[in-house]
Amino acid sequence: MNKAPHESAARAETSNGATARGGLGREQLLDLYYYMRLTRSLEERLANLYRQTKVVGGLFRSLGQEADAVGSAYALDRSKGDILSPLIRNLGSMLVQGARPVEIIKQYMAKGDSPTRGRELNIHYGDLVRGFIGQISQLGDMVPVMAGVTLSFRMRGEDRVGLVYVGDGATSTGAFHEGINFAAVQRCPLVVVVENNGYAYSTPLSKQTAAKQMIDKAIGYGVASEQADGNDVVATYEATKRAVDRARAGGGVTLVELITYRRKGHAEHDNQSYVPAGEIERWATTNDPIDRFARVLSSDHGVAASELEAIDARITAEIDSATDIADASPMPEPADALVGIYADPPAEKPLWFREGVRAAVEVNERPSSWGTHDV
Ligand SMILES: Cc1ncc(C[n+]2csc(CCOP(=O)(O)OP(=O)(O)O)c2C)c(N)n1
């Protein structure tokens, strides 16, 4: 059960001869850096667009949590058709699976050519081909959904694994309990990643659970567990990879607890007044996952600062061009809201107030038998 995060790491040679934890080569380590930086820069751009009122609805950040989404998703095998179920703080996992900035920005802006054509917001969309499932907001509900998805893998004899993310808050729901219990009993090839980021909206962990640690919950379900420092991208990868390998080998469910910290509020509007003074700054200055990994890349793998700067520049260029494309995209047509909802959508008339108040009142609101208006 619960091995120390780094214990059984495979080792691989990097090009400068250093050994990389987790069996990851230099190219893969730079991949991890790329996806974490892409997540952060894309969310920073979305924050700018939000302040310009170009984002429709809320903006949910994963600042300081990029390593847990990226490292865990990277442990899946895309060539085998592994699939994950992200939540609002798992943009990084969707990028690893192949989502691109242009579709994310369009989706946040509710554009007519966004993945859900303006019918859903933020990162609530899915793509079964690239291996991420569209999330719903109800906390914990994706656990039974992924129990079903992975049960289908097992029943069809497919060599595939599923991964579902939940926050610490979601572990308190009935759906979480039902889903993980069912998956455990059925020995589904499922990895349940609990992102322990200290808060569920304004509720701190101490008010969320009496369990000392999230992995203690695994014992009650009879499943394996792994715990890792969620701000160490390689540790996150290693712990999840062990869980993925176990699931693929027929070993059933693993609960993976990734310990991290939510540096932004629940969403952009949340002023975090409930957070003790100094806590956010401490995590930002001493435990930023990207800063930490950049230092490791430099000290252990001889990656030059200029190499990371070139990656950052490539990311900025892609996000700039994605922003321009998304900004220029049209909003959806009102009637399109019904497409895909009904098999035979009614052809709705355009809203009357679009036609001008005077004409609309004449046509829609003034019964001929009323009053003295025609006198
Ligand atoms: C069943 C249910 N209850 C309440 C909510 C409202 N809600 C949305 S996110 C959230 C907090 C989630 O906290 P956590 O699961 O720890 O994830 P985090 O936001 O920290 O990533 C709440 C209470 C909801 N979506 N579903």
PDB file of all heavy atoms in Angstrom, residues 102-131:
ATOM      1  N   VAL A 102      -6.278  27.246 -28.590  1.00  0.00           N
ATOM      2  CA  VAL A 102      -7.333  27.953 -29.333  1.00  0.00           C
ATOM      3  C   VAL A 102      -8.721  27.442 -28.948  1.00  0.00           C
ATOM      4  O   VAL A 102      -9.671  28.222 -28.803  1.00  0.00           O
ATOM      5  CB  VAL A 102      -7.077  27.884 -30.867  1.00  0.00           C
ATOM      6  CG1 VAL A 102      -7.276  26.480 -31.423  1.00  0.00           C
ATOM      7  CG2 VAL A 102      -7.949  28.892 -31.598  1.00  0.00           C
ATOM      8  N   GLU A 103      -8.852  26.138 -28.739  1.00  0.00           N
ATOM      9  CA  GLU A 103     -10.181  25.622 -28.387  1.00  0.00           C
ATOM     10  C   GLU A 103     -10.544  25.988 -26.945  1.00  0.00           C
ATOM     11  O   GLU A 103     -11.711  26.246 -26.631  1.00  0.00           O
ATOM     12  CB  GLU A 103     -10.271  24.112 -28.634  1.00  0.00           C
ATOM     13  CG  GLU A 103      -9.386  23.258 -27.779  1.00  0.00           C
ATOM     14  CD  GLU A 103      -9.115  21.872 -28.370  1.00  0.00           C
ATOM     15  OE1 GLU A 103      -8.299  21.749 -29.309  1.00  0.00           O
ATOM     16  OE2 GLU A 103      -9.702  20.916 -27.874  1.00  0.00           O
ATOM     17  N   ILE A 104      -9.528  26.055 -26.068  1.00  0.00           N
ATOM     18  CA  ILE A 104      -9.780  26.412 -24.665  1.00  0.00           C
ATOM     19  C   ILE A 104     -10.243  27.876 -24.582  1.00  0.00           C
ATOM     20  O   ILE A 104     -11.203  28.206 -23.883  1.00  0.00           O
ATOM     21  CB  ILE A 104      -8.497  26.231 -23.810  1.00  0.00           C
ATOM     22  CG1 ILE A 104      -7.960  24.794 -23.906  1.00  0.00           C
ATOM     23  CG2 ILE A 104      -8.731  26.659 -22.362  1.00  0.00           C
ATOM     24  CD1 ILE A 104      -8.760  23.737 -23.227  1.00  0.00           C
ATOM     25  N   ILE A 105      -9.557  28.757 -25.318  1.00  0.00           N
ATOM     26  CA  ILE A 105      -9.917  30.184 -25.249  1.00  0.00           C
ATOM     27  C   ILE A 105     -11.306  30.391 -25.856  1.00  0.00           C
ATOM     28  O   ILE A 105     -12.151  31.096 -25.294  1.00  0.00           O
ATOM     29  CB  ILE A 105      -8.845  31.064 -25.941  1.00  0.00           C
ATOM     30  CG1 ILE A 105      -7.485  30.889 -25.229  1.00  0.00           C
ATOM     31  CG2 ILE A 105      -9.255  32.531 -25.910  1.00  0.00           C
ATOM     32  CD1 ILE A 105      -6.319  31.623 -25.893  1.00  0.00           C
ATOM     33  N   LYS A 106     -11.569  29.765 -26.998  1.00  0.00           N
ATOM     34  CA  LYS A 106     -12.909  29.892 -27.602  1.00  0.00           C
ATOM     35  C   LYS A 106     -13.982  29.389 -26.642  1.00  0.00           C
ATOM     36  O   LYS A 106     -15.062  29.964 -26.528  1.00  0.00           O
ATOM     37  CB  LYS A 106     -12.982  29.069 -28.894  1.00  0.00           C
ATOM     38  CG  LYS A 106     -12.292  29.707 -30.075  1.00  0.00           C
ATOM     39  CD  LYS A 106     -12.436  28.798 -31.281  1.00  0.00           C
ATOM     40  CE  LYS A 106     -11.763  29.365 -32.507  1.00  0.00           C
ATOM     41  NZ  LYS A 106     -11.862  28.455 -33.651  1.00  0.00           N
ATOM     42  N   GLN A 107     -13.694  28.280 -25.963  1.00  0.00           N
ATOM     43  CA  GLN A 107     -14.659  27.691 -25.048  1.00  0.00           C
ATOM     44  C   GLN A 107     -14.949  28.641 -23.883  1.00  0.00           C
ATOM     45  O   GLN A 107     -16.097  28.865 -23.507  1.00  0.00           O
ATOM     46  CB  GLN A 107     -14.091  26.341 -24.564  1.00  0.00           C
ATOM     47  CG  GLN A 107     -14.925  25.586 -23.562  1.00  0.00           C
ATOM     48  CD  GLN A 107     -16.206  25.014 -24.145  1.00  0.00           C
ATOM     49  OE1 GLN A 107     -16.407  24.949 -25.355  1.00  0.00           O
ATOM     50  NE2 GLN A 107     -17.097  24.639 -23.260  1.00  0.00           N
ATOM     51  N   TYR A 108     -13.887  29.234 -23.310  1.00  0.00           N
ATOM     52  CA  TYR A 108     -14.067  30.193 -22.212  1.00  0.00           C
ATOM     53  C   TYR A 108     -14.816  31.445 -22.698  1.00  0.00           C
ATOM     54  O   TYR A 108     -15.492  32.110 -21.932  1.00  0.00           O
ATOM     55  CB  TYR A 108     -12.711  30.590 -21.621  1.00  0.00           C
ATOM     56  CG  TYR A 108     -12.400  29.900 -20.294  1.00  0.00           C
ATOM     57  CD1 TYR A 108     -11.453  28.886 -20.205  1.00  0.00           C
ATOM     58  CD2 TYR A 108     -13.058  30.272 -19.121  1.00  0.00           C
ATOM     59  CE1 TYR A 108     -11.163  28.271 -18.990  1.00  0.00           C
ATOM     60  CE2 TYR A 108     -12.783  29.664 -17.912  1.00  0.00           C
ATOM     61  CZ  TYR A 108     -11.835  28.670 -17.853  1.00  0.00           C
ATOM     62  OH  TYR A 108     -11.568  28.062 -16.646  1.00  0.00           O
ATOM     63  N   MET A 109     -14.668  31.784 -23.985  1.00  0.00           N
ATOM     64  CA  MET A 109     -15.350  32.967 -24.513  1.00  0.00           C
ATOM     65  C   MET A 109     -16.727  32.621 -25.076  1.00  0.00           C
ATOM     66  O   MET A 109     -17.418  33.494 -25.605  1.00  0.00           O
ATOM     67  CB  MET A 109     -14.481  33.624 -25.601  1.00  0.00           C
ATOM     68  CG  MET A 109     -13.194  34.224 -25.036  1.00  0.00           C
ATOM     69  SD  MET A 109     -12.064  34.803 -26.330  1.00  0.00           S
ATOM     70  CE  MET A 109     -12.677  36.451 -26.622  1.00  0.00           C
ATOM     71  N   ALA A 110     -17.122  31.333 -24.968  1.00  0.00           N
ATOM     72  CA  ALA A 110     -18.438  30.864 -25.419  1.00  0.00           C
ATOM     73  C   ALA A 110     -18.682  31.151 -26.898  1.00  0.00           C
ATOM     74  O   ALA A 110     -19.799  31.505 -27.296  1.00  0.00           O
ATOM     75  CB  ALA A 110     -19.557  31.469 -24.559  1.00  0.00           C
ATOM     76  N   LYS A 111     -17.644  31.014 -27.703  1.00  0.00           N
ATOM     77  CA  LYS A 111     -17.778  31.337 -29.125  1.00  0.00           C
ATOM     78  C   LYS A 111     -18.594  30.277 -29.876  1.00  0.00           C
ATOM     79  O   LYS A 111     -18.673  29.119 -29.454  1.00  0.00           O
ATOM     80  CB  LYS A 111     -16.387  31.474 -29.752  1.00  0.00           C
ATOM     81  CG  LYS A 111     -15.622  32.686 -29.224  1.00  0.00           C
ATOM     82  CD  LYS A 111     -16.323  33.979 -29.589  1.00  0.00           C
ATOM     83  CE  LYS A 111     -15.555  35.205 -29.133  1.00  0.00           C
ATOM     84  NZ  LYS A 111     -15.436  36.223 -30.125  1.00  0.00           N
ATOM     85  N   GLY A 112     -19.142  30.701 -30.989  1.00  0.00           N
ATOM     86  CA  GLY A 112     -19.987  29.811 -31.791  1.00  0.00           C
ATOM     87  C   GLY A 112     -19.227  28.636 -32.383  1.00  0.00           C
ATOM     88  O   GLY A 112     -19.825  27.598 -32.685  1.00  0.00           O
ATOM     89  N   ASP A 113     -17.909  28.797 -32.549  1.00  0.00           N
ATOM     90  CA  ASP A 113     -17.118  27.675 -33.071  1.00  0.00           C
ATOM     91  C   ASP A 113     -16.223  27.072 -31.987  1.00  0.00           C
ATOM     92  O   ASP A 113     -15.200  26.462 -32.271  1.00  0.00           O
ATOM     93  CB  ASP A 113     -16.287  28.098 -34.288  1.00  0.00           C
ATOM     94  CG  ASP A 113     -15.352  29.261 -33.981  1.00  0.00           C
ATOM     95  OD1 ASP A 113     -15.415  29.809 -32.844  1.00  0.00           O
ATOM     96  OD2 ASP A 113     -14.549  29.627 -34.856  1.00  0.00           O
ATOM     97  N   SER A 114     -16.634  27.237 -30.731  1.00  0.00           N
ATOM     98  CA  SER A 114     -15.918  26.580 -29.623  1.00  0.00           C
ATOM     99  C   SER A 114     -16.399  25.123 -29.550  1.00  0.00           C
ATOM    100  O   SER A 114     -17.402  24.770 -30.173  1.00  0.00           O
ATOM    101  CB  SER A 114     -16.223  27.298 -28.310  1.00  0.00           C
ATOM    102  OG  SER A 114     -17.587  27.145 -27.979  1.00  0.00           O
ATOM    103  N   PRO A 115     -15.692  24.273 -28.793  1.00  0.00           N
ATOM    104  CA  PRO A 115     -16.080  22.859 -28.756  1.00  0.00           C
ATOM    105  C   PRO A 115     -17.556  22.620 -28.414  1.00  0.00           C
ATOM    106  O   PRO A 115     -18.180  21.721 -28.973  1.00  0.00           O
ATOM    107  CB  PRO A 115     -15.150  22.275 -27.688  1.00  0.00           C
ATOM    108  CG  PRO A 115     -13.923  23.123 -27.771  1.00  0.00           C
ATOM    109  CD  PRO A 115     -14.408  24.504 -28.087  1.00  0.00           C
ATOM    110  N   THR A 116     -18.118  23.405 -27.498  1.00  0.00           N
ATOM    111  CA  THR A 116     -19.550  23.196 -27.188  1.00  0.00           C
ATOM    112  C   THR A 116     -20.424  24.275 -27.832  1.00  0.00           C
ATOM    113  O   THR A 116     -21.599  24.403 -27.500  1.00  0.00           O
ATOM    114  CB  THR A 116     -19.807  23.183 -25.666  1.00  0.00           C
ATOM    115  OG1 THR A 116     -19.359  24.430 -25.109  1.00  0.00           O
ATOM    116  CG2 THR A 116     -19.083  22.035 -24.980  1.00  0.00           C
ATOM    117  N   ARG A 117     -19.862  25.053 -28.752  1.00  0.00           N
ATOM    118  CA  ARG A 117     -20.595  26.093 -29.489  1.00  0.00           C
ATOM    119  C   ARG A 117     -21.364  27.045 -28.561  1.00  0.00           C
ATOM    120  O   ARG A 117     -22.474  27.449 -28.847  1.00  0.00           O
ATOM    121  CB  ARG A 117     -21.551  25.464 -30.496  1.00  0.00           C
ATOM    122  CG  ARG A 117     -20.865  24.475 -31.429  1.00  0.00           C
ATOM    123  CD  ARG A 117     -21.597  24.334 -32.736  1.00  0.00           C
ATOM    124  NE  ARG A 117     -21.086  23.247 -33.533  1.00  0.00           N
ATOM    125  CZ  ARG A 117     -19.878  23.202 -34.094  1.00  0.00           C
ATOM    126  NH1 ARG A 117     -19.057  24.211 -33.963  1.00  0.00           N
ATOM    127  NH2 ARG A 117     -19.509  22.163 -34.801  1.00  0.00           N
ATOM    128  N   GLY A 118     -20.743  27.339 -27.423  1.00  0.00           N
ATOM    129  CA  GLY A 118     -21.346  28.297 -26.491  1.00  0.00           C
ATOM    130  C   GLY A 118     -22.407  27.701 -25.592  1.00  0.00           C
ATOM    131  O   GLY A 118     -22.995  28.410 -24.781  1.00  0.00           O
ATOM    132  N   ARG A 119     -22.649  26.404 -25.689  1.00  0.00           N
ATOM    133  CA  ARG A 119     -23.693  25.802 -24.840  1.00  0.00           C
ATOM    134  C   ARG A 119     -23.150  25.422 -23.469  1.00  0.00           C
ATOM    135  O   ARG A 119     -23.907  25.141 -22.558  1.00  0.00           O
ATOM    136  CB  ARG A 119     -24.282  24.563 -25.515  1.00  0.00           C
ATOM    137  CG  ARG A 119     -25.009  24.878 -26.779  1.00  0.00           C
ATOM    138  CD  ARG A 119     -25.632  23.608 -27.340  1.00  0.00           C
ATOM    139  NE  ARG A 119     -25.848  23.788 -28.744  1.00  0.00           N
ATOM    140  CZ  ARG A 119     -25.153  23.156 -29.690  1.00  0.00           C
ATOM    141  NH1 ARG A 119     -24.230  22.284 -29.364  1.00  0.00           N
ATOM    142  NH2 ARG A 119     -25.410  23.384 -30.946  1.00  0.00           N
ATOM    143  N   GLU A 120     -21.829  25.356 -23.321  1.00  0.00           N
ATOM    144  CA  GLU A 120     -21.187  25.107 -22.029  1.00  0.00           C
ATOM    145  C   GLU A 120     -19.986  26.043 -21.944  1.00  0.00           C
ATOM    146  O   GLU A 120     -19.609  26.654 -22.937  1.00  0.00           O
ATOM    147  CB  GLU A 120     -20.752  23.636 -21.934  1.00  0.00           C
ATOM    148  CG  GLU A 120     -21.560  22.814 -20.933  1.00  0.00           C
ATOM    149  CD  GLU A 120     -21.239  23.120 -19.467  1.00  0.00           C
ATOM    150  OE1 GLU A 120     -20.714  24.213 -19.149  1.00  0.00           O
ATOM    151  OE2 GLU A 120     -21.544  22.251 -18.631  1.00  0.00           O
ATOM    152  N   LEU A 121     -19.403  26.130 -20.757  1.00  0.00           N
ATOM    153  CA  LEU A 121     -18.347  27.121 -20.553  1.00  0.00           C
ATOM    154  C   LEU A 121     -17.050  26.482 -20.084  1.00  0.00           C
ATOM    155  O   LEU A 121     -16.924  25.268 -20.037  1.00  0.00           O
ATOM    156  CB  LEU A 121     -18.826  28.165 -19.532  1.00  0.00           C
ATOM    157  CG  LEU A 121     -20.042  28.979 -19.997  1.00  0.00           C
ATOM    158  CD1 LEU A 121     -20.564  29.840 -18.859  1.00  0.00           C
ATOM    159  CD2 LEU A 121     -19.690  29.852 -21.201  1.00  0.00           C
ATOM    160  N   ASN A 122     -16.128  27.328 -19.716  1.00  0.00           N
ATOM    161  CA  ASN A 122     -14.768  26.989 -19.238  1.00  0.00           C
ATOM    162  C   ASN A 122     -14.221  25.706 -19.878  1.00  0.00           C
ATOM    163  O   ASN A 122     -14.220  25.593 -21.084  1.00  0.00           O
ATOM    164  CB  ASN A 122     -14.699  27.004 -17.703  1.00  0.00           C
ATOM    165  CG  ASN A 122     -15.673  26.055 -17.014  1.00  0.00           C
ATOM    166  OD1 ASN A 122     -15.482  24.849 -17.029  1.00  0.00           O
ATOM    167  ND2 ASN A 122     -16.709  26.603 -16.408  1.00  0.00           N
ATOM    168  N   ILE A 123     -13.761  24.747 -19.086  1.00  0.00           N
ATOM    169  CA  ILE A 123     -13.193  23.547 -19.734  1.00  0.00           C
ATOM    170  C   ILE A 123     -14.164  22.375 -19.637  1.00  0.00           C
ATOM    171  O   ILE A 123     -13.762  21.214 -19.608  1.00  0.00           O
ATOM    172  CB  ILE A 123     -11.788  23.193 -19.200  1.00  0.00           C
ATOM    173  CG1 ILE A 123     -11.768  23.108 -17.676  1.00  0.00           C
ATOM    174  CG2 ILE A 123     -10.771  24.194 -19.697  1.00  0.00           C
ATOM    175  CD1 ILE A 123     -10.427  22.592 -17.114  1.00  0.00           C
ATOM    176  N   HIS A 124     -15.441  22.689 -19.590  1.00  0.00           N
ATOM    177  CA  HIS A 124     -16.472  21.650 -19.575  1.00  0.00           C
ATOM    178  C   HIS A 124     -16.743  21.150 -20.994  1.00  0.00           C
ATOM    179  O   HIS A 124     -17.729  21.516 -21.622  1.00  0.00           O
ATOM    180  CB  HIS A 124     -17.769  22.205 -18.993  1.00  0.00           C
ATOM    181  CG  HIS A 124     -17.785  22.241 -17.496  1.00  0.00           C
ATOM    182  ND1 HIS A 124     -18.936  22.142 -16.753  1.00  0.00           N
ATOM    183  CD2 HIS A 124     -16.780  22.366 -16.597  1.00  0.00           C
ATOM    184  CE1 HIS A 124     -18.645  22.206 -15.472  1.00  0.00           C
ATOM    185  NE2 HIS A 124     -17.351  22.347 -15.351  1.00  0.00           N
ATOM    186  N   TYR A 125     -15.854  20.348 -21.512  1.00  0.00           N
ATOM    187  CA  TYR A 125     -16.111  19.692 -22.796  1.00  0.00           C
ATOM    188  C   TYR A 125     -15.221  18.461 -22.883  1.00  0.00           C
ATOM    189  O   TYR A 125     -14.264  18.321 -22.112  1.00  0.00           O
ATOM    190  CB  TYR A 125     -15.863  20.642 -23.981  1.00  0.00           C
ATOM    191  CG  TYR A 125     -14.419  20.911 -24.316  1.00  0.00           C
ATOM    192  CD1 TYR A 125     -13.787  20.217 -25.345  1.00  0.00           C
ATOM    193  CD2 TYR A 125     -13.687  21.873 -23.632  1.00  0.00           C
ATOM    194  CE1 TYR A 125     -12.458  20.475 -25.679  1.00  0.00           C
ATOM    195  CE2 TYR A 125     -12.365  22.128 -23.954  1.00  0.00           C
ATOM    196  CZ  TYR A 125     -11.756  21.430 -24.971  1.00  0.00           C
ATOM    197  OH  TYR A 125     -10.446  21.680 -25.285  1.00  0.00           O
ATOM    198  N   GLY A 126     -15.559  17.582 -23.782  1.00  0.00           N
ATOM    199  CA  GLY A 126     -14.802  16.335 -23.862  1.00  0.00           C
ATOM    200  C   GLY A 126     -14.457  15.968 -25.289  1.00  0.00           C
ATOM    201  O   GLY A 126     -14.963  16.554 -26.255  1.00  0.00           O
ATOM    202  N   ASP A 127     -13.563  15.015 -25.407  1.00  0.00           N
ATOM    203  CA  ASP A 127     -13.179  14.492 -26.714  1.00  0.00           C
ATOM    204  C   ASP A 127     -12.740  13.040 -26.507  1.00  0.00           C
ATOM    205  O   ASP A 127     -11.643  12.789 -25.990  1.00  0.00           O
ATOM    206  CB  ASP A 127     -12.048  15.332 -27.301  1.00  0.00           C
ATOM    207  CG  ASP A 127     -11.618  14.844 -28.677  1.00  0.00           C
ATOM    208  OD1 ASP A 127     -12.046  13.738 -29.077  1.00  0.00           O
ATOM    209  OD2 ASP A 127     -10.855  15.554 -29.353  1.00  0.00           O
ATOM    210  N   LEU A 128     -13.603  12.117 -26.876  1.00  0.00           N
ATOM    211  CA  LEU A 128     -13.301  10.709 -26.629  1.00  0.00           C
ATOM    212  C   LEU A 128     -12.128  10.223 -27.466  1.00  0.00           C
ATOM    213  O   LEU A 128     -11.422   9.304 -27.069  1.00  0.00           O
ATOM    214  CB  LEU A 128     -14.540   9.853 -26.894  1.00  0.00           C
ATOM    215  CG  LEU A 128     -15.663  10.008 -25.863  1.00  0.00           C
ATOM    216  CD1 LEU A 128     -16.879   9.184 -26.257  1.00  0.00           C
ATOM    217  CD2 LEU A 128     -15.185   9.618 -24.464  1.00  0.00           C
ATOM    218  N   VAL A 129     -11.913  10.863 -28.626  1.00  0.00           N
ATOM    219  CA  VAL A 129     -10.792  10.428 -29.475  1.00  0.00           C
ATOM    220  C   VAL A 129      -9.456  10.753 -28.789  1.00  0.00           C
ATOM    221  O   VAL A 129      -8.548   9.932 -28.732  1.00  0.00           O
ATOM    222  CB  VAL A 129     -10.874  11.094 -30.868  1.00  0.00           C
ATOM    223  CG1 VAL A 129      -9.635  10.775 -31.691  1.00  0.00           C
ATOM    224  CG2 VAL A 129     -12.139  10.626 -31.582  1.00  0.00           C
ATOM    225  N   ARG A 130      -9.369  11.966 -28.244  1.00  0.00           N
ATOM    226  CA  ARG A 130      -8.115  12.340 -27.578  1.00  0.00           C
ATOM    227  C   ARG A 130      -8.068  11.863 -26.123  1.00  0.00           C
ATOM    228  O   ARG A 130      -7.055  11.982 -25.448  1.00  0.00           O
ATOM    229  CB  ARG A 130      -7.897  13.847 -27.666  1.00  0.00           C
ATOM    230  CG  ARG A 130      -7.523  14.271 -29.080  1.00  0.00           C
ATOM    231  CD  ARG A 130      -7.314  15.769 -29.190  1.00  0.00           C
ATOM    232  NE  ARG A 130      -8.561  16.502 -29.032  1.00  0.00           N
ATOM    233  CZ  ARG A 130      -8.653  17.828 -29.076  1.00  0.00           C
ATOM    234  NH1 ARG A 130      -7.586  18.548 -29.269  1.00  0.00           N
ATOM    235  NH2 ARG A 130      -9.827  18.412 -28.933  1.00  0.00           N
ATOM    236  N   GLY A 131      -9.208  11.363 -25.624  1.00  0.00           N
ATOM    237  CA  GLY A 131      -9.158  10.719 -24.313  1.00  0.00           C
ATOM    238  C   GLY A 131      -9.403  11.625 -23.123  1.00  0.00           C
ATOM    239  O   GLY A 131      -8.746  11.489 -22.094  1.00  0.00           O
TER     240      GLY A 131
END
